[in-house]
């Protein structure tokens, strides 16, 4: 009996067969496991440390070498390479096959934390990163305006970025580019010598004046209020009027007498 004869004599059987095929096809389609951005992790870790103003030789000796010695004792390390340039240290860790990058990242962070006290005080905390395709940005937005770059950066950082971070489905928002506002203090060596001051004394005066810390509590029968001493500078002019030293005769040396204070931007 041919297929045509069966289809003519037993149409209900053909309908059941086709219905079964369609049903199983639909179930199989719904069960497909697909991902437009497949999860991919490379067995590579990177330790990045920023040390602004330091030369490549200083970064190599005070940052890169101690970190390399600490990281080399990790388990599962195949190869370590490093690069020391002006102000930046980058250490790349190649892991052996089969080593979990999450576990290795935790081990690296623990090793870095153990020697963090030996690094220069002016250096930023080392950042241990692992490559993960899921962390790649899926949307890039550029911004421009008829204002200064510092004003644009503050606008995006303080107003636009928080709004985007609260959008449903947004994991993180990273701000790339732009120049942050920076208060620049340029010391005049001749004036320092004339007033018999050193750069260290000026630094201590600025650090000691620009502070904020708790100053106790005030209590009554119904409430308790915390007092906080906030002596941080709010304006550039307040910084210029900072008293660096007071002489025996009451003469005061201001920061503006020995340095030039400008409201500038960070280097690109």
């Amino acid at each position: 009996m041919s297929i045509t004869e069966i289809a003519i004599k037993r149409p209900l059987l053909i309908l059941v067969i086709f219905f079964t095929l369609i049903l199983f096809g639909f179930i199989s389609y719904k069960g497909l496991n697909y991902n437009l951005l497949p999860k991919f992790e490379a067995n590579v870790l990177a330790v990045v440390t920023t040390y602004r103003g330091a030369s490549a030789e200083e970064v190599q000796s005070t940052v890169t070498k101690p970190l390399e010695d600490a990281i080399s004792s990790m388990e599962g390390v195949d190869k370590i390479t490093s690069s020391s340039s002006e102000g930046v240290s980058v250490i790349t860790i190649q892991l052996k096959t089969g080593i979990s990058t999450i576990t290795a990242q935790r081990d690296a962070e623990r090793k870095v934390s153990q020697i963090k006290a030996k690094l220069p005080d002016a250096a930023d905390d080392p950042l241990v990163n692992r490559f993960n395709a899921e962390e790649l940005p899926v949307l890039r937005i550029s911004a421009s305006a008829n204002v200064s770059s510092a004003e644009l950066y503050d606008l995006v950082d303080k107003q636009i970025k928080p709004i985007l971070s609260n959008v449903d489905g947004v994991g993180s928002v990273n701000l790339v580019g732009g120049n942050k506002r920076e208060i620049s203090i340029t010391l005049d060596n001749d004036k320092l010598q004339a007033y018999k001051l050193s750069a260290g004394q000026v630094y201590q005066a600025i650090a000691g004046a620009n502070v904020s810390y708790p100053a106790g509590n005030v209590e009554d029968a119904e409430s308790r209020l915390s007092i906080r001493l906030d002596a941080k500078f709010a304006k550039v002019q307040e910084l210029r009027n900072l008293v660096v030293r007071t002489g025996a005769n009451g003469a005061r040396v201001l920061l503006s007498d020995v340095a030039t204070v400008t409201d500038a931007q960070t280097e690109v």
Side-chain angles (χ1 to χ4, degrees), residues 3 13 25 36 39 90 130 170 173 198 201 213 222 260 268:
I3 298 177
L13 176 62
L36 298 178
K39 186 177 181 180
V90 179
R130 58 187 175 92
V170 175
V173 179
S198 64
Q201 291 175 308
Y213 52 85
E222 298 179 355
T260 302
V268 180

Side-chain angles (χ1 to χ4, degrees), residues 8 12-14 20 22 61 67 69 71 81 83 106-107 119 152 162 190 220 222 250 262-263 266:
I8 295 173
L12 185 60
L13 176 62
I14 300 301
T20 303
I22 293 173
S61 60
L67 289 175
D69 295 340
I71 295 171
T81 57
S83 172
R106 293 173 181 171
D107 293 341
L119 300 179
L152 178 60
D190 294 335
D220 57 21
E222 298 179 355
T262 55
D263 192 347
T266 58

Side-chain angles (χ1 to χ4, degrees), residues 15 31-32 52 77 85 90 144 149 163 165 216-217 225 229 247:
L15 290 176
L32 285 176
R52 296 177 178 83
V77 175
S85 57
V90 179
S144 62
S149 56
I163 296 176
S165 300
N217 301 310
L225 302 177
L229 177 61

Side-chain angles (χ1 to χ4, degrees), residues 18-59:
F18 274 93
F19 179 78
T20 303
L21 293 176
I22 293 173
L23 178 62
F24 279 100
F26 179 76
I27 295 174
S28 300
Y29 174 76
K30 297 295 290 185
L32 285 176
N33 186 15
Y34 63 93
N35 194 341
L36 298 178
L37 186 63
K39 186 177 181 180
F40 172 75
E41 290 185 359
N43 288 347
V44 177
L45 298 178
V47 182
V48 182
T49 309
T50 303
Y51 187 8
R52 296 177 178 83
S55 63
E57 293 79 8
E58 187 176 359
V59 172

Side-chain angles (χ1 to χ4, degrees), residues 8 17 19 22 29 54 64 82 98 120 161 163 169 178 188 216 238 256 260:
I8 295 173
I17 293 175
F19 179 78
I22 293 173
Y29 174 76
T64 305
S82 64
K161 181 179 177 181
I163 296 176
D188 190 322
E238 295 178 358
S256 58
T260 302

